[in-house]
Amino acid sequence: MEAIEVTGLRKTYGGQDAVAGIDLVVARGEIFSLLGPNGAGKTTTVEILEGHRRRTAGDVRVLGEDPGTAGSAWRTRIGIVLQDADDAADLTVREMVRHIGGFYPEPRTADEVIELVGLSAKRNSKIRTLSGGQRRRVDVALGIVGRPELLFLDEPTTGFDPEARRQFWDLIRTLAADGTTIVLTTHYLDEAEALADRLAVVSAGRIVAEGTPTTLGGRGAAEARVSWTENGAVRVEQVADPSDLIRHLVASGADLSTLTITRPTLEDTYLNLIGATR
Amino acid sequence: MIAMSLSRGHVELLQFLRDRTAVIFTFFFPALLLLLFGTIFGSESTDGGVAVSRIFTASMIAYGVLNTAFVTMGSGLAMDREDGTLKRLRGTPMPATAYLIGKGLLVFALSVAEATFLILMGVVVFDMPLPPAGHWVTFAWIFLLSTVACSLLGIAVSGLVKNARNAGAILNVPVVALQFVSGVFIHPMTQLPEWLQNVASIFPVRWMAQGFRYVFLPDEAKVTEIGGAWNLGTVAVVLGVWCVIGLVLCLVTFRWSGRDK
């Protein structure tokens, strides 16, 4: 059984389609990333999958159940990392993690989770006193304390410093290695590239491309751009396979000190994809 | 379910006690008003020959319960909707009932503490004698009905609050207005124009205050009530009806989130 199966998902607000017909499948144990600009329908889609929003139309199965009607037994199996929560400011990290953990049948211990998200030094601090990035790590702790089979992360690393982001990525990989299915929405393409097994780009309420980080939007088949300097002028050529061109250049004795070979980055591909649909 | 509700109640209480603004404005404010009113008008006596400070003590319990139940519930829910508390809990296996019972436990604990504090203040500062044993039974049911009615109405009204920062201000409009017309700040109520007495009698506060005055004042003091009687039966009926109205409004208006979904 797949972790998530969605067909023909639509969500309409006042006659406007926020989600205009999305189909997607997320396999068990996969890290699946949803990319897209603000207002593209990412968060709406994810909130429907989490059971936070009702859908207008379409068929949705999450861990085999319809999130619109699923009960508390289903909720013990999912974890949600909120994007903009500001709650429990007067509780300590440990108090809050224990409190939320108490709602699940087999929670991780508070200290274990706090250690996992790297907040051990802050465990007895009030949540109010934490920095933005630390606050988000509390959200992650609360999302995983119940040992979810499926974890939703909505832009989890906003406000993280680079080191915290790397630690966070390691944590996600650890969870995935334990078999947790992960659905990640993010603005950061390097994050999607580093973590995702598969990703989809949402634009204007539709999925405009789907694939692995290396194949998305024809990226794997894209031509390489070879650039070098000849007689003081920059030369550029686009070729599918640069091997012959490089051999020729070496044989001709050209100056290769400025040689570069690039393929479109995930960011180039992404900007192309969302640009084309705007 | 019981464990989850208790856990919610514990966390609610911790958060309330750590929020100094809430403790001062919700909990200590009625006591401060009692101290002021009792000191300013304390030496006067009424027609029934009872010291005004004693009447204020009894009536102020109604204000106390209104604050700890109605205002705490109303602003607490509006805040929980806004800061993500409800959204977070909605994503866990915890049922909505456990959340509401947790809030109920907070309100009950605060209301008991508030009433105790006001009564102690009456006894220690204003020489109010404690009532005979039989009156405590009446106190218990009036207190319980008042707390339940005010809590349910607080939950219902929280849905009307668009921005949690304004919750305290919005909720205090009916609260303060009702104190003036329901015989809490101005007693006896018979000084008010008759139509205003009638309007005030629709709402629970008049009946709460009247009930608490029955508990803590000598029987002769009933001459200052409207109609010259305590009318405990009407107190029970009005508060009971408000419990039902509150419950129905809650069931109709309760939302997990601030936005329409």
Side-chain angles (χ1 to χ4, degrees), chain A residues 47 52-54 72 75-76 80 82 85-88 90-91 95 99-100 103-104 126 135 139 142, chain B residues 4 7-8 11 14-15 18-19 83-95 259-261:
Chain A
E47 289 194 343
H52 277 323
R53 262 175 222 253
R54 291 199 197 94
S72 65
R75 290 184 201 280
T76 62
I80 297 173
L82 295 180
D86 211 11
D87 57 327
D90 286 312
L91 297 180
E95 284 169 342
H99 173 59
I100 297 292
F103 298 147
Y104 294 88
K126 287 210 186 130
R135 166 81 247 210
D139 289 327
L142 298 174
Chain B
M4 288 187 200
S7 176
R8 279 306 307 162
V11 161
L14 272 184
Q15 294 189 90
R18 287 175 189 175
D19 179 358
D83 70 12
T85 301
L86 277 172
K87 193 174 183 188
R88 160 119 40 228
L89 294 172
R90 183 88 178 104
T92 75
M94 186 215 72
R259 286 163 293 165
D260 181 34
K261 295 199 169 161

Side-chain angles (χ1 to χ4, degrees), chain B residues 156-245:
Chain B
V157 168
S158 74
L160 302 175
V161 178
K162 291 271 180 285
N163 186 335
R165 241 182 304 167
N166 306 331
I170 293 170
L171 293 167
N172 267 304
V173 173
V175 168
V176 172
L178 284 175
Q179 305 311 310
F180 278 102
V181 301
S182 300
V184 177
F185 292 168
I186 295 170
H187 183 80
M189 259 180 90
T190 44
Q191 300 168 57
L192 304 174
E194 203 176 321
W195 68 267
L196 199 52
Q197 294 178 29
N198 292 336
V199 171
S201 301
I202 299 170
F203 296 99
V205 185
R206 176 204 155 182
W207 304 99
M208 290 158 62
Q210 190 168 319
F212 290 130
R213 282 196 295 271
Y214 161 78
V215 173
F216 292 98
L217 303 186
D219 196 50
E220 308 87 80
K222 70 183 171 197
V223 295
T224 60
E225 300 298 333
I226 298 173
W230 295 117
N231 286 321
L232 289 186
T234 319
V235 171
V237 170
V238 173
L239 293 182
V241 167
W242 275 106
C243 286
V244 174
I245 295 174

Side-chain angles (χ1 to χ4, degrees), chain B residues 67-213:
Chain B
N67 247 2
T68 50
F70 180 74
V71 176
T72 303
M73 223 22 147
S75 62
L77 246 83
M79 190 60 86
D80 285 354
R81 265 189 206 111
E82 191 161 294
D83 70 12
T85 301
L86 277 172
K87 193 174 183 188
R88 160 119 40 228
L89 294 172
R90 183 88 178 104
T92 75
M94 186 215 72
T97 344
Y99 168 78
L100 291 174
I101 294 175
K103 276 273 184 240
L105 290 173
L106 167 71
V107 163
F108 188 70
L110 286 180
S111 301
V112 169
E114 179 82 61
T116 310
F117 191 61
L118 290 171
I119 294 167
L120 269 179
M121 189 170 232
V123 170
V124 173
V125 184
F126 301 118
D127 290 324
M128 182 182 80
L130 285 177
H135 279 213
W136 286 110
V137 177
T138 314
F139 176 81
W141 68 254
I142 295 175
F143 176 80
L144 216 62
L145 277 180
S146 303
T147 313
V148 171
C150 291
S151 303
L152 291 170
L153 291 171
I155 298 174
V157 168
S158 74
L160 302 175
V161 178
K162 291 271 180 285
N163 186 335
R165 241 182 304 167
N166 306 331
I170 293 170
L171 293 167
N172 267 304
V173 173
V175 168
V176 172
L178 284 175
Q179 305 311 310
F180 278 102
V181 301
S182 300
V184 177
F185 292 168
I186 295 170
H187 183 80
M189 259 180 90
T190 44
Q191 300 168 57
L192 304 174
E194 203 176 321
W195 68 267
L196 199 52
Q197 294 178 29
N198 292 336
V199 171
S201 301
I202 299 170
F203 296 99
V205 185
R206 176 204 155 182
W207 304 99
M208 290 158 62
Q210 190 168 319
F212 290 130
R213 282 196 295 271

